[in-house]
């Protein structure tokens, strides 16, 4: 009898591994049904560095308000130590689930282990952690940043297909060590590397902010006056770059083409105005899906280990058409 039970448990675990699902039982014992009002979620946000982040915060707060669950929210101001402090405080408070969008990829194992030991399931939203132990979180909901970089690279390859002269590129990187900065750079480089005419002549972080994008572009245009393309890892840095390009007496979108990622309203306006040439979408609307994951985790149901966000790309015409109904 006991041997049969052990067998059944082993088969169950095997099937879960096969379907890529995990349950809260991996990290906690919160199996009992709870009323929404009794469920407490601690969310540790990256900061308020960009239009994308503001939209993401609003969407998460709105979704939890509509769900009736209690949301504790903290803003780490783009500092990993603040996020770790917030997560520790949620552990001490004994919340039901912790969700967070990691500022950087590495350095999370210790605090995630503390959450696991306390029986509190963790859901990653937007950004991944670089950990060998994927039992430290139950699910990761967000974009495929490598694919986003590849889409930006593919537009560049297509745009310059008839040009033989070198295309000198300035890359404005996101926060150093952050998953979207690492992955977007990798995806972009992978696609353009097939043709040696594409040269990334300078690559520096603008920390995903408009001010950072402006400041870095100003400096890099001085040392690379022959650059004709800027790849910015988000709209905000691209918008800052527009100001720097104009201040240098050049026309953004023409003398210097600009490709960005996000598709927030300000970015879409600049694309529609012809100051940005192409935008790869990265959706910040993760709130409803996060609420669903939390409900399942608290109920002890299985959740997908990796949930991908659906995204598209925008040309100038597409941005003009999409603008009136854009949510963020
Ligand atoms: O992690 C998502 C990225 O973070 C967005 O592209 C950027 O705008 C934000 O700051």
């Amino acid at each position: 009898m006991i041997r049969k039970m052990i067998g059944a448990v082993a088969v169950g675990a095997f099937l879960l591994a096969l379907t890529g699902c995990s349950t809260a039982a991996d990290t906690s014992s919160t199996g009992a049904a709870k009323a929404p009002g009794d469920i407490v979620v601690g969310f540790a946000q990256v900061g308020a560095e960009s239009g994308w982040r503001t939209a993401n915060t609003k969407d998460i707060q709105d979704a939890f308000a509509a769900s009736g669950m209690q949301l504790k929210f903290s803003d780490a101001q783009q500092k990993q130590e603040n996020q770790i402090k917030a997560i520790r405080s949620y552990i001490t408070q004994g919340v039901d689930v912790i969700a967070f969008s990691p500022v950087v990829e590495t350095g999370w194992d210790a605090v995630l282990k503390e959450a696991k030991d306390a029986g509190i399931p963790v859901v990653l939203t937007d950004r991944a952690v670089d950990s060998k132990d994927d039992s430290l979180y139950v699910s990761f909901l967000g974009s495929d940043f490598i694919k986003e970089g590849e889409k930006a690279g593919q537009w560049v390859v297509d745009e310059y297909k008839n040009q033989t002269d070198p295309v000198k590129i300035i890359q404005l990187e996101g926060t150093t060590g952050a998953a979207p900065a690492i992955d977007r750079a990798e995806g972009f480089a992978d696609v353009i590397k097939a043709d040696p005419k594409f040269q990334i002549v300078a690559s520096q972080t603008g920390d995903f902010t408009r001010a950072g994008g402006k400041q870095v572009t100003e400096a890099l245009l001085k040392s690379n006056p022959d650059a004709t393309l800027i790849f910015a890892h988000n709209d905000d840095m691209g918008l800052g770059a527009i100001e720097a390009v104009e201040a240098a007496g050049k026309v953004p979108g023409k003398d210097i083409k600009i490709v960005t990622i996000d598709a927030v309203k300000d970015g879409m306006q600049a694309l529609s105005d012809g100051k940005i040439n192409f935008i790869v979408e990265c959706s910040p609307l993760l709130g409803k899906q996060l609420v669903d994951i939390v409900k399942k985790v608290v109920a002890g149901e299985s959740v997908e280990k990796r949930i991908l966000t659906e995204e598209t790309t925008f040309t100038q015409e597409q941005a003009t058409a999409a603008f009136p109904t854009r949510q963020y």
Side-chain angles (χ1 to χ4, degrees):
M1 175 68 174
I2 288 178
R3 224 198 263 155
K4 262 191 196 161
M5 279 169 65
I6 293 172
V9 169
V11 168
F14 176 67
L15 286 176
L16 275 179
L18 272 186
T19 55
C21 291
S22 60
T23 66
D26 289 343
T27 52
S28 86
S29 55
T30 53
K34 269 193 170 189
D38 294 332
I39 299 171
V40 183
V41 178
F43 188 86
Q45 181 60 289
V46 170
E49 73 281 5
S50 61
W52 188 100
R53 190 64 55 194
T54 307
N56 178 247
T57 293
K58 182 176 181 317
D59 192 60
I60 287 169
Q61 289 176 331
D62 288 353
F64 276 95
S67 77
M69 290 186 238
Q70 299 174 50
L71 180 71
K72 291 176 184 286
F73 184 89
S74 62
D75 173 340
Q77 298 178 328
Q78 287 190 279
K79 291 197 175 73
Q80 184 176 31
E81 65 264 32
N82 290 347
Q83 247 181 347
I84 290 176
K85 260 189 226 155
I87 293 170
R88 289 214 166 103
S89 145
Y90 294 146
I91 296 171
T92 310
Q93 293 171 61
V95 300
D96 295 292
V97 177
I98 292 171
F100 81 115
S101 173
V103 177
V104 290
E105 265 191 346
T106 56
W108 298 103
D109 281 34
V111 72
L112 292 182
K113 175 103 184 16
E114 289 166 35
K116 183 176 175 178
D117 292 345
I120 301 175
V122 172
V123 179
L124 303 177
T125 70
D126 164 35
R127 298 181 180 180
V129 296
D130 184 2
S131 170
K132 287 199 179 76
D133 183 359
D134 74 358
S135 76
L136 294 175
Y137 60 92
V138 290
S139 186
F140 166 33
L141 162 68
S143 309
D144 182 337
F145 296 134
I146 293 186
K147 200 173 263 173
E148 290 173 350
E150 288 170 352
K151 288 179 190 171
Q154 194 53 53
W155 180 82
V156 171
V157 167
D158 296 343
E159 181 71 7
Y160 292 92
K161 64 176 183 295
N162 298 324
Q163 178 173 320
T164 47
D165 288 345
V167 179
K168 302 207 171 177
I169 304 169
I170 288 175
Q171 177 168 238
L172 300 177
E173 300 165 21
T175 304
T176 305
I182 296 167
D183 293 353
R184 288 170 182 168
E186 184 187 322
F188 185 79
D190 266 0
V191 172
I192 63 164
K193 75 177 178 209
D195 189 337
K197 79 179 177 215
F198 295 114
Q199 300 166 12
I200 299 182
V201 291
S203 188
Q204 211 170 295
T205 181
D207 216 7
F208 281 130
T209 67
R210 203 174 288 206
K214 183 178 179 196
Q215 202 187 330
V216 171
T217 307
E218 271 165 6
L220 294 183
L221 281 179
K222 281 187 191 133
S223 43
N224 302 277
D226 51 354
T228 51
L229 178 77
I230 293 175
F231 168 43
H233 286 184
N234 78 343
D235 284 354
D236 277 76
M237 291 191 294
L239 292 161
I242 290 172
E243 293 178 37
V245 169
E246 285 172 340
K250 296 190 175 180
V251 181
K254 293 205 166 63
D255 298 331
I256 300 189
K257 293 188 177 167
I258 302 177
V259 186
T260 67
I261 295 177
D262 274 357
V264 295
K265 270 199 167 161
D266 287 355
M268 294 286 270
Q269 182 68 64
L271 176 57
S272 184
D273 293 344
K275 294 185 176 192
I276 290 178
N277 302 79
F278 188 69
I279 299 184
V280 177
E281 186 182 42
C282 177
S283 176
L285 306 180
L286 306 177
K288 284 202 184 82
Q289 281 170 294
L290 178 58
V291 162
D292 287 345
I293 295 171
V294 167
K295 276 185 194 158
K296 285 187 180 168
V297 167
V298 172
E301 292 171 25
S302 65
V303 289
E304 293 291 323
K305 196 79 188 180
R306 178 72 172 106
I307 301 171
L308 274 171
T309 317
E310 277 182 29
E311 287 152 352
T312 185
T313 58
F314 294 96
T315 59
Q316 184 177 15
E317 297 71 34
Q318 289 165 333
T320 306
F323 197 78
T325 53
R326 201 76 188 146
Q327 280 184 59
Y328 53 90

